[in-house]
Amino acid sequence: MNVESRKMILLIGGTISIAVGAYLPWLRTNPNLPPDAKIPTVYYTGMGAGFEGFDFALLGAIGLVLLVRVVSTRTMARTATTLAVGLGTIVFPAYYLSMSTLIGFSATFVPALGWYLTVLGGVLFTVVGGLELPSIVRRPEAITSRGE
C-alpha cells in the first residue's frame, strides 16, 4: 500500500467520522453525578441527534476540502486546506466545551460520542495535511560561487 492510498483512506475515514460525529449528540449528562444531583433543564446546541447549527459549518468545511482536493492540481492549496480544516475541526470542539460552566469533562454535561468522533476526524485530516506538508516545504539549495 503506497502513501497516496493511505492518505485517501485517512481522508475517507476523517470525512465519515466528522459526518457521523456531527449527526450524533455532542453532550450527555455526566454519569458520575450523584443520584440526587439537580440537573438544570437547559438545552445546548449539540445535545440532540441530527444536524443543527454548527454542524452545517463542519460539513461545509469538509465539503470544501473534498472539492479542493478533487479540483485543484496545486499541492500547496490541497495541503493548506486539509491542514487548516483539520486543525479547525480539532479546535472548535475544544472551544465548544468552554462555552459554559455546565459543559466540560467533569461538569454536569460531558462530551458524548459525537464530540469524540468529530475530534477524531479532525485529527485524521490534520495527519493527511501533515503528511503532505514536507512536499511543499522546500529546502534551500546550497549556494556556490561561480569560481568554485
Side-chain angles (χ1 to χ4, degrees), residues 30-140:
N30 190 343
N32 296 327
L33 290 176
D36 60 342
K38 289 188 176 188
I39 299 172
T41 54
V42 296
Y43 180 80
Y44 291 108
T45 301
M47 289 181 108
F51 296 114
E52 60 183 4
F54 55 80
D55 297 333
F56 294 111
L58 286 172
L59 295 175
I62 298 310
L64 174 68
V65 168
L66 297 177
L67 179 70
V68 167
R69 294 190 72 82
V70 168
V71 173
S72 179
T73 58
R74 296 179 54 202
T75 307
M76 185 176 287
R78 294 170 54 185
T79 301
T81 306
T82 306
L83 194 58
V85 169
L87 290 172
T89 307
I90 294 170
V91 169
F92 177 72
Y95 170 73
Y96 176 78
L97 289 184
S98 68
M99 284 182 6
S100 170
T101 58
L102 294 174
I103 301 173
F105 287 103
S106 61
T108 305
F109 301 107
V110 294
L113 181 61
W115 187 87
Y116 290 107
L117 283 174
T118 304
V119 171
L120 173 65
V123 168
L124 293 176
F125 269 64
T126 304
V127 167
V128 171
L131 287 174
E132 293 176 342
L133 199 57
S135 66
I136 64 170
V137 176
R138 295 189 176 102
R139 294 182 185 181

Side-chain angles (χ1 to χ4, degrees), residues 1-10:
M1 185 179 292
N2 63 9
V3 175
E4 288 302 316
S5 60
R6 286 184 183 150
K7 286 192 271 187
M8 186 59 67
I9 290 171
L10 290 174

